[in-house]
Amino acid sequence: GDVAVSNNTTVTISTYALGSCVALVVYDSMVQAGGLIHIMLPDSNLSLEKAQKQPAMFADTGIPLMFRNLMGLRVERKRLKAFVAGGASIISGADMFKIGERNIAAVKKMVNILGIPVVRADIGGVNNRTVHLNIATGEVELKKPTGTFKFSLA
């Protein structure tokens, strides 16, 4: 569970091997700034102590943290576009905890509360994903076992 934001056009923000975790990527093309958060769990009530030490681990504490950090980069919510990836069911057999599904639901709830349009998503299934956000262009690169896909959030 980690979060990164940037307006440095030489930077690419990445997260690797998303299984049941969910990545939320946001980009504001007007100021060439964006962020990426790697959500591990849906709700900080699962461990309030961990949430204090590592708020990005949880959807309900990490996403607001990312948006506070983005506001310092002159990002405006009304200009943001979002991409959501992950939430796979990677445990063999029945996933009784349904962490991937719960993470997806928690991220969707938070972006709805914040009013951020999700323009693209690649969620669920059984495959791991790696995501890269190019700050200069808003291009997202999504890598899955089935191939690499590129698209723009600009």
Side-chain angles (χ1 to χ4, degrees), residues 65 69 88 98 102 120 126 132 139-140 152:
L65 170 66
N69 293 345
K98 299 191 183 303
R102 291 170 50 211
R120 191 155 179 173
V126 295
H132 306 284
E139 182 178 82
V140 174
S152 180

Side-chain angles (χ1 to χ4, degrees), residues 15-103:
T15 193
Y16 299 89
L18 291 165
S20 60
C21 297
V22 172
L24 171 62
V25 179
V26 295
Y27 189 72
D28 180 338
S29 60
M30 176 89 64
V31 293
Q32 289 180 296
L36 187 154
I37 186 165
H38 182 131
I39 301 290
M40 295 175 69
L41 293 167
D43 189 339
S44 61
N45 287 323
L46 296 169
S47 176
L48 295 174
E49 185 179 320
K50 271 192 178 162
Q52 272 198 311
K53 292 178 185 169
Q54 199 175 359
M57 180 182 274
F58 303 93
D60 65 330
T61 52
I63 294 172
L65 170 66
M66 179 171 74
F67 279 89
R68 284 192 301 274
N69 293 345
L70 285 166
M71 295 307 123
L73 302 178
R74 300 186 345 262
V75 165
E76 291 188 22
R77 274 197 295 193
K78 67 182 181 208
R79 294 191 309 241
L80 286 172
K81 293 181 182 172
F83 168 64
V84 178
S89 179
I90 56 168
I91 299 171
S92 300
D95 179 4
M96 66 183 198
F97 297 112
K98 299 191 183 303
I99 295 296
E101 288 177 29
R102 291 170 50 211
N103 282 339

Side-chain angles (χ1 to χ4, degrees), residues 2-6 13 34-37 66 70:
D2 207 357
V3 63
V5 301
S6 184
I13 302 174
L36 187 154
I37 186 165
M66 179 171 74
L70 285 166

Side-chain angles (χ1 to χ4, degrees), residues 78-148:
K78 67 182 181 208
R79 294 191 309 241
L80 286 172
K81 293 181 182 172
F83 168 64
V84 178
S89 179
I90 56 168
I91 299 171
S92 300
D95 179 4
M96 66 183 198
F97 297 112
K98 299 191 183 303
I99 295 296
E101 288 177 29
R102 291 170 50 211
N103 282 339
I104 292 166
V107 169
K108 283 182 176 179
K109 177 182 175 184
M110 292 302 300
V111 294
N112 284 337
I113 288 170
L114 293 166
I116 309 301
V118 175
V119 297
R120 191 155 179 173
D122 191 296
I123 53 177
V126 295
N127 290 321
N128 287 330
R129 298 161 173 96
T130 292
V131 178
H132 306 284
L133 170 63
N134 181 313
I135 296 299
T137 64
E139 182 178 82
V140 174
E141 182 178 88
L142 171 67
K143 293 184 178 183
K144 300 183 348 179
T146 56
T148 299

